[in-house]
């Protein structure tokens, strides 16, 4: 498997996990008095993650013609026209991959400007 395709597959697996984590965090921030500051940043990050996830899916299906299915809690099977394989992660690996992505989108190179939610 080439490096670019492997990176797309890792993104396809880890971006939905990062979205799920940020949506869970968003629910936790709703109880804060100054939640509007945090909710704007989380919403901006979730939106960007969803755009990038859609782009990864598009590349995976149109350019590489790869289909990925989750076959276990930490294992994924991928198939293309001429090749197939299985990727197995440990829970710690998935957690680290997700944490890296969340870090990138909150304050790393993928972070975007955001507008604080109204309603002090």
């Amino acid at each position: 498997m080439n490096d670019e395709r492997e990176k797309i597959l890792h993104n396809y697996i880890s971006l939905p996990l990062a979205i799920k984590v940020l949506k869970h965090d968003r629910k936790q921030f709703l109880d804060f008095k100054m939640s509007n500051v945090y909710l704007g940043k989380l919403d901006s990050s979730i939106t960007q993650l969803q755009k990038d996830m859609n782009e990864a899916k598009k590349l995976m299906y149109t350019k590489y013609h790869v289909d990925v299915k989750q076959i276990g809690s930490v294992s994924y099977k991928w198939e293309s026209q001429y090749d197939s394989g299985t990727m197995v992660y440990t829970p710690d690996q998935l957690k680290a991959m997700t944490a890296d992505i969340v870090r990138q989108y909150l304050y790393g190179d993928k972070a975007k400007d955001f507008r604080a939610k109204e309603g002090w």
Side-chain angles (χ1 to χ4, degrees):
M1 179 176 357
N2 68 29
D3 290 338
E4 187 178 351
R5 183 170 69 172
E6 188 173 346
K7 183 178 178 184
I8 295 292
L9 291 175
H10 287 299
N11 282 342
Y12 179 80
I13 292 166
S14 56
L15 288 175
L17 295 173
I19 291 170
K20 185 183 280 189
V21 166
L22 289 181
K23 284 183 176 181
H24 179 267
D25 289 351
R26 188 181 191 291
K27 289 178 187 175
Q28 303 302 316
F29 279 109
L30 288 173
D31 295 334
F32 286 15
K33 283 187 178 184
M34 294 181 55
S35 64
N36 56 335
V37 175
Y38 302 105
L39 294 178
K41 181 64 173 172
L42 289 176
D43 289 343
S44 171
S45 298
I46 290 169
T47 301
Q48 188 60 38
L49 276 163
Q50 288 174 330
K51 286 179 185 176
D52 290 350
M53 185 179 69
N54 291 339
E55 186 62 31
K57 280 183 181 181
K58 182 179 167 184
L59 275 174
M60 214 173 71
Y61 294 132
T62 60
K63 184 176 180 181
Y64 296 109
H65 308 288
V66 176
D67 187 32
V68 177
K69 302 251 189 278
Q70 186 172 1
I71 56 175
S73 60
V74 293
S75 56
Y76 299 84
K77 181 170 179 55
W78 61 272
E79 293 180 358
S80 66
Q81 187 174 3
Y82 303 108
D83 204 5
S84 67
T86 303
M87 297 184 294
V88 179
Y89 300 96
T90 66
D92 289 336
Q93 286 174 320
L94 285 176
K95 183 178 177 181
M97 285 169 45
T98 304
D100 287 342
I101 287 181
V102 168
R103 205 173 293 114
Q104 284 178 0
Y105 282 83
L106 287 180
Y107 48 84
D109 61 332
K110 301 251 183 174
K112 299 289 182 193
D113 290 335
F114 70 98
R115 179 177 291 218
K117 299 285 183 181
E118 297 297 324
W120 287 92

